[in-house]
Amino acid sequence: MARPRLRFLVLGDSLAFGTGAARAEDTLGMRLTADLADDGFDVELSVHAVPGAVSADLPRQVRAASAPAADLALVVVGANDLARFVPAEQATAALAEALRGLRAGGTDVVVVTAPDMSMVPFVPPALRPVVSAACGLLQQRQAAVAAAAGATVAAVAADVARAFRADPALFSADRFHPSSAGYAHIAAALRPIVLQAARARRDDAAA
């Protein structure tokens, strides 16, 4: 039996791009592509994520990747919105626009909500509760926008934050981006969600 083809698109910021990983194979896109291939898919990976991107950059990334339309997209965004104090309403409006474009093209989407930036080592302890609250607000609004668009929400931020707080080796040398080990942890958290979305699309096509 022929392996089902899956055009897999990765959009977003430096986490989606893989900044901090020692090898291309260690990035989220490549790790998840390997997982999908192991699950029986013939995967064509396309990464349009850009380091430093904020949510307002997502619609442009969607337009750049529009032909041919992807089967499944992973959207990872929010860290730079938080770092640059972009209002949550503004960030999620841009996310909603990008999701509308993806869904209009028939793409299934997994949205990874913003990370908990309070885990970053150089955030002063006294500010961590404030930072965590701001992150939580953006995460909630991203999840609501994603659900309204018919996307799957990957709410892995709490699990990832606990792991990164416990193990500094999950950060790269800049103490901000993940290391290869950090990306391995994030990919492991995302794996069941991405595989479920891909399998659901495959099963719907078969039906």
Side-chain angles (χ1 to χ4, degrees):
M1 180 180 296
R3 292 161 62 93
R5 184 183 180 194
L6 186 80
R7 292 182 296 269
F8 182 39
L9 173 64
V10 179
L11 303 174
D13 54 24
S14 57
L15 293 177
F17 181 81
T19 301
R23 308 176 304 161
E25 292 82 0
D26 296 334
T27 63
L28 289 182
M30 291 291 283
R31 285 185 176 276
L32 292 169
T33 292
D35 292 330
L36 288 162
D38 288 344
D39 203 53
F41 291 92
D42 179 11
V43 186
E44 178 185 330
L45 173 65
S46 179
V47 178
H48 283 262
V50 177
V54 294
S55 296
D57 297 311
L58 286 175
R60 182 164 54 252
Q61 292 181 19
V62 170
R63 290 191 294 271
S66 61
D71 300 303
L72 178 63
L74 180 74
V75 178
V76 185
V77 76
N80 294 314
D81 294 280
L82 291 162
R84 299 177 192 178
F85 304 103
V86 177
E89 297 84 354
Q90 181 179 330
T92 51
L95 174 61
E97 179 185 347
L99 293 177
R100 284 194 298 270
L102 289 167
R103 298 294 289 146
T107 301
D108 291 325
V109 187
V110 174
V111 175
V112 183
T113 56
D116 183 349
M117 301 289 283
S118 69
M119 68 180 174
V120 174
F122 52 72
V123 173
L127 293 180
R128 286 175 187 165
V130 175
V131 172
S132 185
C135 296
L137 175 62
L138 180 57
Q139 291 161 4
Q140 291 170 8
R141 295 192 176 178
Q142 286 176 319
V145 163
T152 299
V153 178
V156 300
D159 168 76
V160 169
R162 281 191 297 269
F164 275 63
R165 288 190 188 104
D167 186 359
L170 298 183
F171 285 100
S172 65
D174 68 8
R175 302 176 70 225
F176 185 81
H177 294 98
S179 63
S180 289
Y183 282 112
H185 182 89
I186 299 169
L190 293 176
R191 181 181 300 120
I193 303 168
V194 171
L195 289 180
Q196 182 178 9
R199 290 166 182 166
R201 185 178 182 94
R202 176 197 61 198
D203 294 345
D204 288 346

